[in-house]
Amino acid sequence: MDLRLDGITHRYDGLLVLDGIDLLIRDGETVAIIGPSGCGKSTLLGIVGGLLRPSAGTVRTIGKPRADSLNPFTYVFQDFALLPWRSVAANVALALEHHPLPRAERQARIKAALGLTGLGDFADALPRQLSGGMRQRVGLARALVVRPAVLLLDEPLSALDAQTRELLMEDLLAIWARERSTRLYVTHNLDEAARLADRVVVLSRRPGRIREIVSIDVPVAERLSASALPVIAAVRDRLWALIRDEARVAEREVQHA
Amino acid sequence: MPEPDVRGAGGVADGSATIAFRGGGFQPQPRRLVPFIVFVLVIGLWQAASWRGWLPDLFMPSPWQIVGAFGDMLHSGTLTRHVGASLSRIALGWLFGTTAGLAVGLAMGIFSVARAGGLPVVSALFPIPKIALLPLFILWFGIGEPSKVATIGFGVFFPTVIAAYTACDSVPRNLIRMGQSFGLPAHAIVWKIVVPGAMPGILAGFRITASIALILVVAAEMIGAEYGIGAFILSAGNLMQTDQLLAGVTLLSLLGLAVSTVLGAVERIVLRWR
Ligand SMILES: Nc1ncnc2c1ncn2[C@@H]1O[C@H](COP(=O)(O)OP(=O)(O)O)[C@@H](O)[C@H]1O
Ligand SMILES: [Mg+2]
């Protein structure tokens, strides 16, 4: 299933946040979206996932999502959005509870998702007992358990410390390799974009417009190999050169909301 | 000259000084004996003052006399009768008020129409001291139990409404968005996200309404009741039986403590996840 964004424009009251975003996302691709804070990245993700109505423009799917997908567009949130009163397994189960599934399949899906995210031993833990990294793994497991066609990740590692972020990037690459979904990965972290994505969409500061799309010519499966390092470093420098000036202006801007 | 090895910092050269400690404090530490000692001291001083004759028996009976009054009540069976009457009024009124209050409060927390319609009514009726309505309820329901239960129920209702809808507001928006993003139906979002998320606020409201129920039951029983702790205190006062009066007051203190212990246990169980 491909995804096509046509002229996505969004205003909050009078504030123009996104201006004419056109983008074709191919099935199975990982597309990172970067841009200075406040440029409309979360807004764009909200529009793609059907949580926000765009002021203008359309998001279309081309082809059918995978047949076993219970929730084709599925989010992973920056602040994890876990229910603190539910155990890890119950948080993951939440995504399945309103779907008529045989008990055995339900259990099998939950077990598989916990396994994939390295949470096998933590099924009964409560969120407050977990580190930030483990909490985001729960967020990932909950998203994977519905077999999403499109994973919408909104700064999934931004709430984590630098070391945990490194670990989770490696784990995400491992998960990317074992699970077929299209991924839209919003971040302001150039490193994440350069290491995790096939293509990086660079947005301008608000109102967000596409400034450039940077392709990374190393398959995601080979990103951890040493030969990928110079390519990743070059991409990161390129991205920084692209957004540096705008980031500085955006930083000095007075907040509106 | 060799460089000093600072890795172990064992032997320190001349001119050294240790850094004066200036942290610590400002954090309550458990002191197991102190509460017990203070309690015994206060009661003991009171008792001693009575023995010395510094406190006239009629106006301030000694702790020992109050214990004696308790014993008398226990023997004659009046204690259980009075406590039973008060407790059943509190239980009924609190249950009615809480049930209705939660229904209305959650509706106001969830539906914009209920919020817009309910808020002015709640704002207008909440500040009324509910005991002022007892005469009206007596006209409606008679002097018996229903008018007292209605007063308590009414007094419990409004704080429950307010606690419930503000608790709904305090449920993080992003949890609700998460539910929507997974396609949860609206009723599932309410029962699986909003209501459990509002539980801490609702339970905090229970502590307030429990104390309101205790106040109102005493007030209502002082206005017209044969049995009940309030009626007992009033008649003891009229007969100048201050030992009995203070026994009744002590009973209220114990009752309040018992209720707050029960609520504390409920909170610990229901909010184990915190
Ligand atoms: N619900 C809202 N109402 C009004 N303004 C908003 C709202 N959400 C976001 N904004 C504003 O829109 C701009 C883009 O927000 P967002 O999409 O969250 O940016 P990003 O995720 O790129 O940091 C920001 O300036 C923000 O203040
Ligand atoms: Mg954002």
Side-chain angles (χ1 to χ4, degrees):
Chain A
M1 186 186 79
D2 294 347
L3 209 56
R4 203 170 125 177
L5 281 58
D6 275 315
I8 296 292
T9 298
H10 195 75
R11 281 187 184 77
Y12 289 109
D13 302 317
L15 186 71
L16 183 63
V17 167
L18 287 170
D19 189 15
I21 305 289
D22 299 314
L23 189 62
L24 180 69
I25 299 159
R26 289 183 298 272
D27 187 58
E29 205 184 5
T30 303
V31 174
I33 298 173
I34 64 168
S37 134
C39 77
K41 304 183 294 293
S42 299
T43 305
L44 185 63
L45 220 52
I47 290 169
V48 173
L51 292 180
L52 273 174
R53 228 190 283 276
S55 309
T58 53
V59 181
R60 303 186 159 280
T61 56
I62 303 163
K64 289 252 169 293
R66 52 196 282 188
D68 60 350
S69 180
L70 294 174
N71 190 50
F73 293 86
T74 301
Y75 284 90
V76 175
F77 299 90
Q78 176 177 355
D79 56 9
F80 324 133
L82 304 179
L83 301 182
W85 50 88
R86 283 190 178 223
S87 69
V88 166
N91 262 291
V92 175
L94 178 80
L96 300 178
E97 282 168 4
H98 55 294
H99 295 288
L101 284 181
R103 200 184 135 79
E105 189 190 341
R106 194 183 301 269
Q107 297 304 333
R109 273 181 181 246
I110 294 170
K111 195 149 182 268
L114 293 180
L116 197 58
T117 48
L119 287 168
D121 295 335
F122 297 85
D124 297 324
L126 286 171
R128 74 167 150 82
Q129 301 170 304
L130 301 178
S131 68
M134 294 306 273
R135 288 184 204 183
Q136 190 55 295
R137 281 178 225 268
V138 181
L140 267 169
R142 181 180 58 192
L144 296 174
V145 83
V146 297
R147 312 235 165 106
V150 182
L151 255 187
L152 304 163
L153 305 108
D154 192 352
E155 310 218 14
L157 310 186
S158 293
L160 307 177
D161 63 73
Q163 287 163 26
T164 309
R165 196 181 297 183
E166 288 289 326
L167 290 174
L168 259 93
M169 271 194 261
E170 288 178 10
D171 293 355
L172 280 177
L173 284 171
I175 293 169
W176 281 185
R178 293 177 56 184
E179 171 264 359
R180 294 285 326 147
S181 64
T182 308
R183 298 146 206 139
L184 259 181
Y185 190 106
V186 162
T187 180
H188 61 249
N189 183 304
L190 307 183
D191 205 37
E192 290 172 34
R195 284 167 65 178
L196 299 177
D198 297 305
R199 287 194 294 156
V200 182
V201 176
V202 182
L203 295 183
S204 66
R205 72 191 167 87
R206 195 181 65 220
R209 302 190 179 98
I210 295 183
R211 288 194 54 194
E212 185 133 353
I213 299 180
V214 177
S215 292
I216 304 164
D217 299 323
V218 181
V220 166
E222 293 162 27
R223 290 295 167 84
L224 288 174
S225 70
S227 60
L229 287 178
V231 181
I232 290 169
V235 169
R236 192 171 39 216
D237 290 346
R238 172 96 192 282
L239 295 175
W240 180 231
L242 280 168
I243 68 166
R244 189 199 141 103
D245 294 340
E246 296 228 310
R248 185 160 302 281
V249 179
E251 189 209 358
R252 308 184 132 256
E253 218 158 57
V254 176
Q255 291 298 306
H256 288 274
Chain B
M1 202 176 86
E3 286 286 303
D5 182 0
V6 294
R7 276 174 304 180
V12 187
D14 291 338
S16 74
T18 47
I19 294 169
F21 178 68
R22 49 182 175 172
F26 293 98
Q27 185 158 5
Q29 303 288 331
R31 295 273 185 271
R32 302 213 167 282
L33 270 180
V34 174
F36 183 73
I37 292 170
V38 169
F39 187 77
V40 169
L41 212 65
V42 169
I43 301 285
L45 282 175
W46 179 2
Q47 184 67 51
S50 296
W51 272 330
R52 282 296 193 114
W54 292 341
L55 295 174
D57 278 355
L58 181 60
F59 294 111
M60 198 63 195
S62 72
W64 187 242
Q65 286 170 305
I66 295 171
V67 171
F70 253 120
D72 293 344
M73 285 167 74
L74 209 55
H75 272 295
S76 63
T78 46
L79 182 77
T80 43
R81 189 177 272 176
H82 289 300
V83 172
S86 293
L87 270 184
S88 69
R89 285 166 192 145
I90 290 179
L92 268 179
W94 189 84
L95 231 58
F96 281 136
T98 297
T99 312
L102 284 182
V104 172
L106 288 176
M108 280 172 63
I110 294 160
F111 304 110
S112 306
V113 176
R115 170 82 57 109
L119 211 50
V121 181
V122 171
S123 310
L125 298 182
F126 171 64
I128 301 172
K130 300 302 172 299
I131 195 67
L133 295 173
L134 181 61
L136 184 67
F137 289 150
I138 290 175
L139 286 178
W140 289 356
F141 304 122
I143 189 83
E145 294 304 303
S147 58
K148 296 179 187 64
V149 171
T151 306
I152 296 167
F154 220 60
V156 166
F157 174 79
F158 290 100
T160 306
V161 169
I162 292 169
Y165 86 73
T166 48
C168 287
D169 289 353
S170 74
V171 177
R173 289 292 310 167
N174 69 313
L175 291 185
I176 293 167
R177 268 171 66 92
M178 181 275 293
Q180 291 175 323
S181 80
F182 279 95
L184 262 65
H187 66 84
I189 290 180
V190 168
W191 289 113
K192 292 175 180 176
I193 298 177
V194 177
V195 171
M199 237 28 216
I202 290 172
L203 289 181
F206 283 4
R207 283 190 180 277
I208 295 170
T209 56
S211 65
I212 289 176
L214 201 58
I215 294 170
L216 285 177
V217 80
V218 171
E221 286 168 351
M222 285 185 167
I223 288 177
E226 195 175 348
Y227 295 109
I229 303 174
F232 172 78
I233 290 174
L234 188 73
S235 76
N238 288 340
L239 300 172
M240 307 241 275
Q241 294 166 337
T242 33
D243 53 345
Q244 305 239 342
L245 190 157
L246 282 179
V249 171
T250 309
L251 212 51
L252 289 174
S253 161
L254 293 176
L255 205 61
L257 274 175
V259 168
S260 107
T261 307
V262 169
L263 285 177
V266 169
E267 270 177 5
R268 264 196 305 286
I269 293 165
V270 175
L271 304 182
R272 195 179 309 215
W273 49 272
R274 286 221 291 195

